Amino acid sequence: MKISYFALFLIIFSCGSGTQKEESTTGAIELIDGAKETISSGVTTGFLKTINSSKTKKLPQLERTNFDSFGDESEYAQIDFKALKLYQVYPERNFEEPNFRAIDMYTLPIRDDHHSVVVTVLKNEHEMESILINYTTEGDIIDHELVSYDEIAESMSQVVSRISENRLTVNRIFWGNTKEVEQIEYEIRWDGTIEKVNTLSLNDFFTDFSLIDDVLTSLELDWVQLKTTIIKTKVFPDNPNEIFLIIPEVVDEGEQFFELNSHILIADKPTGKITHDFFESHQTNQWVSDAIELREITIDTAQYPLSEVTKAYGIKVDFLGMSRVNPYSKQTWSLFIKSGDKLEKALSNYSIKDFGGEWDGDCEGEFVNEEKIVFPGTHKTKGYFDFLVNKKITESKDYKNEDEECQTENSYHIKNSILKFDGTTYSEVEESLETKSYSQIHPRKLTNFQIDQFEVDQAYELNGQKIITGNYKPEKGSHYTSSTESQFDWGDRLLILDSENDVVFQSLGFGDLYLFDTHFYQAKTSDKIIIICQKAFEYPFGGEVFILEESSIKHIGTLAIEGNEEGKFLTDLVDIQETGNNLVFSLKSDQLTLKPGEESSTQVTNAIYVYQGDQFILKTNTP
């Protein structure tokens, strides 16, 4: 190239003198610039020719090129390393060496304003690697990163990758005494640069790494094919040798977008052998994340009895909308049952939480939140128990008052439905479920009613009986004597007296309470009366529940729950409905406290108590 420039100058300067020299100088500059443009154009033309003649692959691309990808050297392509400027990627190497050369390449449609090329380089007879290189439109290298590596001398290390339009996931694998996988996440930016954003040791991240690795080998999947943040495992308490797995396989992936195939499995924990499996495509499983983001997939810790011998395993999937002024969230629930060596989906993507609304981004807006709690009933359809569904629907309105302060008004509706099995799957029955709703009633209150050796706090007359609350008067300064109370049975209690004022029922004592307030509830078409005795010290902490029916009464359990509505206790918020043989106690409040006043108290958004048979059980959507 230097010789060409020198000859060009000799020709120019051999022309005449004086004015002619001045004119010739201008022409020389033009010729030199023209020569440079020709040289530059030649490089660009060579680059574009190399790019345009190359094959193009789709995104996302799994890059796992290794020695097994080629039958023999005859399949190695002739790649123009100069046009691709590979000497900038490997400045210390000489591409004239026969055992160091580019042997394959393809392009990827990552961005419209730059070129992305994956080049495979044979480094020597034992090593091969592939590099993702981003170029400007003129062929200048912007950035590059290793995306695959293979060596056959010791066969102890490998690199594989998943390349998408804005994300590069690289797995560095090392086989020593045990298999180790380091996952490195890169962001492919709009300007073509490649920036590392996270590094994770999968061996340390997953306590069941070896077992998951064995399962992936059986499925013929690599770690790099998975959305590793969503992989879940769970050992069930009733069989510690059995482990439940969620394996999410990436099908498509982009910026704030992915689609996943679902592999739902049960494996033998000691051996890692798959005993039951279920596969569903992204086309039907709803495992898609876009404007509505798939945030999490969890294994439901409860096991649901579908019959006396069949239990179902649950999976919950959480979604979150990304709009600030149109907030949205949803949680779906699916059930799986064992069938031979397979799992079958008995309930598919049933929505148990659904929240949405619209607001102005400041204060004013309207929202609807629906939460469902599902529990098995006693009636069967096609051999499986029906599931009863309790729905709490909260309608919220935010507005500014006269002082421009933001206020919230909530209204609540409790509804019930039923899920029935049709022989293949469960589905919600449109027909309404027969339900009895209980409303508060107010029996005649007795004043100045007295009982020997008993301090009466409240007294009511109902259907010829008297319902009394209070406590026994202490004898000789002791609250519990051998005749009336004990160390574990003292304080406030409920009594039932007949028409002769004889005690026909006496509950256990519940201690020395600040408040033990009686409330009565009855359905229009029922003779059954439910009594809740609200308990409180300086704060309310639930109530004791009794059922009075045909002059007989029994204590069925404790409602260890309170709402967060200001100035309202449990007995102000409770909704009681009877569906079939079940009594369901719900609270009309957007936030609930379980075990109020105790160190183990927790906050939940929804919970119910169900009285079924002789059991009084708390049900929540929180594991």
Side-chain angles (χ1 to χ4, degrees), residues 372-398:
K372 303 173 186 175
I373 295 179
V374 183
F375 59 96
T378 56
H379 181 267
K380 287 183 178 180
T381 303
K382 298 291 181 71
Y384 284 169
F385 291 122
D386 296 342
F387 278 93
L388 304 178
V389 183
N390 177 268
K391 307 177 185 179
K392 184 180 77 173
I393 303 168
T394 305
E395 295 181 359
S396 302
K397 183 177 181 180
D398 292 352

Side-chain angles (χ1 to χ4, degrees), residues 363-563:
C363 173
E364 296 182 352
E366 295 184 357
F367 312 92
V368 177
N369 184 42
E370 182 175 308
E371 288 195 55
K372 303 173 186 175
I373 295 179
V374 183
F375 59 96
T378 56
H379 181 267
K380 287 183 178 180
T381 303
K382 298 291 181 71
Y384 284 169
F385 291 122
D386 296 342
F387 278 93
L388 304 178
V389 183
N390 177 268
K391 307 177 185 179
K392 184 180 77 173
I393 303 168
T394 305
E395 295 181 359
S396 302
K397 183 177 181 180
D398 292 352
Y399 63 95
K400 289 185 178 179
N401 61 15
E402 295 177 354
D403 298 325
E404 293 297 305
E405 296 174 336
C406 195
Q407 304 290 318
T408 300
E409 287 184 357
N410 291 333
S411 61
Y412 303 93
H413 310 281
I414 306 295
K415 295 183 179 180
N416 295 279
S417 63
I418 190 168
L419 293 169
K420 288 181 176 289
F421 190 68
D422 63 8
T424 303
T425 61
Y426 276 91
S427 57
E428 194 164 13
V429 178
E430 295 295 334
E431 63 192 39
S432 60
L433 183 66
E434 185 179 349
T435 301
K436 297 177 183 178
S437 297
Y438 284 71
S439 302
Q440 192 163 2
I441 62 173
H442 302 279
R444 185 170 71 91
K445 193 168 187 176
L446 304 176
T447 58
N448 299 321
F449 189 83
Q450 295 183 0
I451 303 175
D452 289 343
Q453 296 183 329
F454 195 83
E455 293 181 352
V456 176
D457 290 331
Q458 294 179 322
Y460 299 89
E461 185 174 19
L462 181 64
N463 298 334
Q465 294 179 310
K466 297 177 181 67
I467 293 92
I468 313 296
T469 59
N471 55 80
Y472 283 106
K473 296 176 182 178
E475 297 178 8
K476 298 178 182 180
S478 174
H479 263 289
Y480 36 87
T481 68
S482 59
S483 59
T484 57
E485 297 186 336
S486 70
Q487 184 178 358
F488 305 104
D489 175 18
W490 67 281
D492 289 280
R493 66 183 71 234
L494 182 139
L495 306 179
I496 303 292
L497 281 60
D498 62 16
S499 58
E500 302 297 325
N501 288 342
D502 293 329
V503 176
V504 295
F505 173 82
Q506 173 179 289
S507 76
L508 294 175
F510 297 102
D512 185 16
L513 304 174
Y514 176 80
L515 180 72
F516 194 65
D517 199 8
T518 313
H519 298 261
F520 302 85
Y521 306 84
Q522 186 176 26
K524 291 181 179 180
T525 58
S526 175
D527 295 329
K528 187 183 301 180
I529 295 173
I530 296 172
I531 302 172
I532 300 178
C533 293
Q534 174 75 58
K535 300 186 295 185
F537 291 126
E538 66 274 12
Y539 55 87
F541 61 96
E544 301 297 333
V545 186
F546 303 84
I547 294 179
L548 178 63
E549 188 174 17
E550 296 178 355
S551 301
S552 176
I553 189 169
K554 63 179 176 179
H555 176 245
I556 65 170
T558 303
L559 287 168
I561 189 170
E562 289 287 347

Side-chain angles (χ1 to χ4, degrees), residues 39 53 99 102 126 145 149 175 195 220 227 242 335 340 350 365 402 433 531:
I39 294 167
S53 63
N99 287 333
H126 298 299
E145 190 59 53
Y149 173 81
W175 286 273
E195 186 77 20
E220 298 183 352
K227 200 74 173 175
E242 203 169 48
L335 288 177
Y350 182 65
E402 295 177 354
L433 183 66
I531 302 172

Side-chain angles (χ1 to χ4, degrees), residues 106-126:
Y106 59 88
T107 62
L108 292 171
I110 293 179
R111 295 283 187 269
D112 292 335
D113 53 357
H114 65 256
H115 300 284
S116 296
V117 182
V118 174
V119 182
T120 299
V121 175
L122 182 68
K123 300 182 72 174
N124 54 56
E125 60 181 348
H126 298 299

Side-chain angles (χ1 to χ4, degrees), residues 8-68:
L8 182 61
F9 275 92
L10 286 177
I11 295 170
I12 294 169
F13 288 112
S14 66
C15 298
S17 60
T19 305
Q20 289 179 336
K21 284 185 179 180
E22 187 174 327
E23 291 174 357
S24 298
T25 303
T26 303
I29 294 171
E30 290 173 354
L31 286 172
I32 292 170
D33 288 343
K36 289 181 178 178
E37 289 177 6
T38 302
I39 294 167
S40 174
S41 175
V43 172
T44 303
T45 302
F47 172 75
L48 292 178
K49 181 179 178 181
T50 301
I51 293 295
N52 293 334
S53 63
S54 176
K55 54 185 176 288
T56 299
K57 294 188 178 182
K58 297 180 179 180
L59 294 172
Q61 177 62 32
L62 288 176
E63 175 47 50
R64 297 179 289 186
T65 303
N66 54 53
F67 281 94
D68 291 336

Side-chain angles (χ1 to χ4, degrees), residues 292-327:
I292 306 299
E293 182 184 357
L294 194 162
R295 297 298 296 272
E296 187 175 13
I297 301 176
T298 56
I299 300 170
D300 195 345
T301 56
Q303 293 186 50
Y304 297 86
L306 304 190
S307 70
E308 290 78 6
V309 296
T310 304
K311 292 182 180 179
Y313 302 81
I315 287 179
K316 293 178 180 177
V317 184
D318 288 279
F319 298 88
L320 181 66
M322 305 307 291
S323 171
R324 182 170 177 268
V325 295
N326 295 104

Side-chain angles (χ1 to χ4, degrees), residues 221-234:
L221 291 174
D222 291 338
W223 285 92
V224 76
Q225 294 175 259
L226 310 181
K227 200 74 173 175
T228 52
T229 54
I230 301 180
I231 295 173
K232 291 292 187 299
T233 63
K234 181 70 179 180

